[in-house]
Amino acid sequence: MAGVVVLLAGVAMLLVLAAQHGYFGPLARVIGCAVLAVGLLIIAAVVHRREPDNAGALALAGAGLAAGYLDVTAMTWLLDVPVRPAMVVAGVVALAGLALAWWWDTQIVAVIATVGALVLVPVVAGGDALTATAFLVLLTLVTAPASWRDGWFVLLGCRILPTVLTLVVFVALAGAQDPMVPRLRLAAALLAALGYADHWALPAMRRVLARVGPRSEESTERVAAPTASTLDAHALSVPVLALPLWVAAMVAPAGWAALLALPLAAVAAVHWWTAKFPTMAACCTVVTAMGLSAVPVAALDGSTRMLSLALMGIVFAILHRLSGQLPALVIAALLALIGLPDGLTRVGGPGAGLDVGEIVTAAVTGLAELGLVVLVLVLLGEVAAVHSSRPHQGLARSGWTVAGVAAGCLLLQGPVIAACTALTAATGFPSDAEVAGRGVTTLLMAVVVTGLLLRSRGSDRASAARRTSGYVLMGVILVKLCLYDLVVLHGVIRVVAFIGVGLLMLGLATVYSRSLRSMPHARPSGDEATRPQR
């Protein structure tokens, strides 16, 4: 294998160096490289015929095919051969390599030829990104049938990864006014479509392979059906092949972003609905999220962008809750991680100089980010409970629930202050929006923690853990009330905050007293112990 790498690197350097220094004429360079490629293939055929198990023959064949593909690519700038005829020849070379790999029944020939050509095509393309893109996409498309065979997963990855990575770089670096951008977008769309075309073609092509291939002792249906690992591998290629189109949408202007990303999300959503096995449904969920996230990233900014991402995260969290798809929860968690820092920056309230619409948007954005973070933490608790042993399921769920309550209390102040500020700007009441927002926040935090404690009145370990955590959170609220709100708040707001928290604690104590008396293990004392039962 090391010899193949060195040989192909030497071929690429020969083509580039000879062009830079004029050692040989263009025709001589092309002919010399073609003779080398044919010679390698002939030697490989002779060695393989004499020694079918000789690995050197496979390496020679792969190197010869890659050298031939590189030679055709170099013809486009050495001999000024038009790209379209050259692509036809390159397609024939790729099909020949595919046929040879099938004939010898070895994946390594196709892997060597594909990787060698894909990695070195940008080097010998003469600096022309469009030429390199055209030959890369062509090779990825033409070699698709090779990966339909069961077990040829290495070839599947080698066919798509170099092309995807190269195209992502070209798309990301191309300016908005670059004339090659439309063709790069077309190439990205072709790659994204290839994943779905491959998904639909795989079962039919497996039936064809079963008819033309060798007879098996198994039934025809079993031979024709793709294995589960083959279906999973091809499903995993769908989001990878969609990466260039996703990047193209994110760096495009708003109109183009919608035109590129929304069809990507729509097609993925349709395939998610029709998917018959979990891996394909999960991968389509990822692609749907990619398409939906590209539009706000490209077209929006500030609070509107974060609001759209937070709402999308809530949608995927609800999707996980309804369907149980773990990738949907992962996407929601990633969007929550994006929204959490933004939510923390809003704790102090909206900035100065904003109009009412911007303040309302900031309030809604903060609430959406708060809701997303809390929802994700609660759902993570459910997943943790499912994967925990039975005695610890309640504890796992309770821990994540308490984390959600704490996060909600932490992020609550920003949207509340923003809402009070918007109300003040619209109606003139309250007069001091920031002070009112801080007081209302303290009350709402106490209400949330009171709700947690009311749902933790059981005698099991999970309820005890939630109850202890609730006491701690209520203690933090009391510290905030006595050390911070007592100084910052003033007037009616301070009075309302203290009275409200006090009433909540008294009500909580009353409810807990009744709960303790009604527990099965609670025993009466004093006169109640001797009182006759009616």
Side-chain angles (χ1 to χ4, degrees):
M1 184 63 70
V4 173
V5 174
V6 173
L7 176 62
L8 292 177
V11 171
M13 288 187 287
L14 171 65
L15 293 171
V16 175
L17 190 64
Q20 291 176 346
H21 297 276
Y23 291 153
F24 309 103
L27 183 61
R29 298 171 218 156
V30 171
I31 293 176
C33 188
V35 170
L36 175 63
V38 174
L40 290 173
L41 289 172
I42 292 175
I43 295 173
V46 172
V47 173
H48 185 268
R49 184 174 182 180
R50 294 179 178 178
E51 303 177 24
D53 297 331
N54 194 318
L58 307 181
L60 287 170
L65 291 167
Y69 200 87
L70 294 175
D71 189 41
V72 176
T73 305
M75 287 169 55
T76 58
W77 63 283
L78 287 176
L79 300 180
D80 292 328
V81 175
V83 174
R84 292 179 182 177
M87 290 181 65
V88 174
V89 178
V92 172
V93 173
L95 288 175
L98 174 61
L100 183 63
W102 277 20
W103 183 25
W104 288 1
D105 194 21
T106 175
Q107 181 181 197
I108 190 64
V109 172
V111 169
I112 294 174
T114 303
V115 173
L118 288 175
V119 171
L120 295 177
V121 157
V123 178
V124 301
D128 187 351
L130 284 179
T131 300
T133 300
F135 279 92
L136 287 172
V137 173
L138 174 68
L139 186 58
T140 301
L141 294 174
V142 170
T143 55
S147 56
W148 292 335
R149 299 191 64 168
D150 285 331
W152 285 31
F153 308 136
V154 176
L155 177 61
L156 177 63
C158 292
R159 305 179 26 242
I160 63 177
L161 288 178
T163 302
V164 166
L165 295 177
T166 304
L167 190 54
V168 165
V169 172
F170 287 164
V171 168
L173 296 181
Q177 305 300 324
D178 197 317
M180 68 178 182
V181 167
R183 296 185 181 181
L184 291 177
R185 291 171 180 165
L186 176 61
L190 288 175
L191 280 185
L194 174 62
Y196 299 108
D198 193 48
H199 166 72
W200 287 107
L202 180 60
M205 292 300 102
R206 286 294 301 156
R207 289 192 291 270
V208 173
L209 291 176
R211 287 197 297 268
V212 302
R215 294 293 179 180
S216 172
E217 296 179 359
E218 300 175 344
S219 63
T220 304
E221 291 78 8
R222 186 173 179 182
V223 174
T227 62
S229 56
T230 300
L231 291 172
D232 290 343
H234 284 261
L236 291 173
S237 69
V238 171
V240 177
L241 289 167
L243 276 175
L245 188 59
W246 179 56
V247 174
M250 288 200 298
V251 300
W256 275 105
L259 188 61
L260 295 173
L262 293 182
L264 176 66
V267 172
V270 170
H271 281 81
W272 172 83
W273 184 262
T274 59
K276 297 181 180 179
F277 58 101
T279 305
M280 185 62 183
C283 292
C284 289
T285 302
V286 173
V287 178
T288 303
M290 291 166 59
L292 293 178
S293 64
V295 177
V297 170
L300 304 176
D301 56 6
S303 294
T304 53
R305 175 189 296 173
M306 299 307 300
L307 174 60
S308 61
L309 293 177
L311 293 176
M312 186 175 68
I314 292 174
V315 170
F316 277 96
I318 295 174
L319 176 63
H320 164 75
R321 185 67 180 85
L322 296 176
S323 65
Q325 279 196 11
L326 190 59
L329 179 58
V330 172
I331 294 168
L334 292 176
L335 293 172
L337 288 176
I338 295 173
L340 180 60
D342 184 71
L344 291 175
T345 61
R346 301 177 187 275
V347 171
L354 302 179
D355 58 29
V356 177
E358 292 173 334
I359 296 174
V360 171
T361 302
V364 175
T365 302
L367 287 176
E369 291 170 343
L370 183 153
L372 174 60
V373 172
V374 172
L375 184 58
V376 166
L377 289 173
V378 172
L379 292 177
L380 286 174
E382 294 184 358
V383 173
V386 170
H387 292 85
S388 301
S389 58
R390 182 173 293 275
H392 300 92
Q393 288 181 348
L395 286 175
R397 184 182 292 108
S398 296
W400 287 100
T401 301
V402 171
V405 171
C409 293
L410 181 63
L411 298 176
L412 186 60
Q413 181 171 280
V416 171
I417 293 179
C420 291
T421 304
L423 183 62
T424 300
T427 65
F429 178 83
S431 58
D432 194 336
E434 184 174 351
V435 172
R438 295 182 187 277
V440 173
T441 300
T442 301
L443 276 175
L444 291 178
M445 290 169 60
V447 170
V448 171
V449 175
T450 300
L452 174 66
L453 290 171
L454 289 176
R455 293 183 61 86
S456 307
R457 289 175 289 167
S459 58
D460 56 289
R461 294 175 60 189
S463 297
R466 291 197 305 272
R467 192 161 53 245
T468 302
S469 302
Y471 292 154
V472 172
L473 292 176
M474 187 62 80
V476 172
I477 293 173
L478 289 176
V479 170
K480 175 181 181 295
L481 184 68
C482 296
L483 298 183
Y484 181 78
D485 292 344
L486 185 63
V487 177
V488 175
L489 304 184
H490 54 76
V492 177
I493 296 298
R494 180 166 58 187
V495 174
V496 171
F498 271 80
I499 292 178
V501 174
L503 289 175
L504 284 173
M505 296 186 68
L506 288 174
L508 183 64
T510 302
V511 173
Y512 259 79
S513 177
R514 292 179 179 177
S515 299
L516 291 175
R517 294 178 63 184
S518 62
M519 284 185 178
H521 63 274
R523 295 185 177 181
S525 59
D527 295 337
E528 294 182 358
T530 60
R531 184 177 300 172
Q533 299 293 328
R534 294 184 179 181

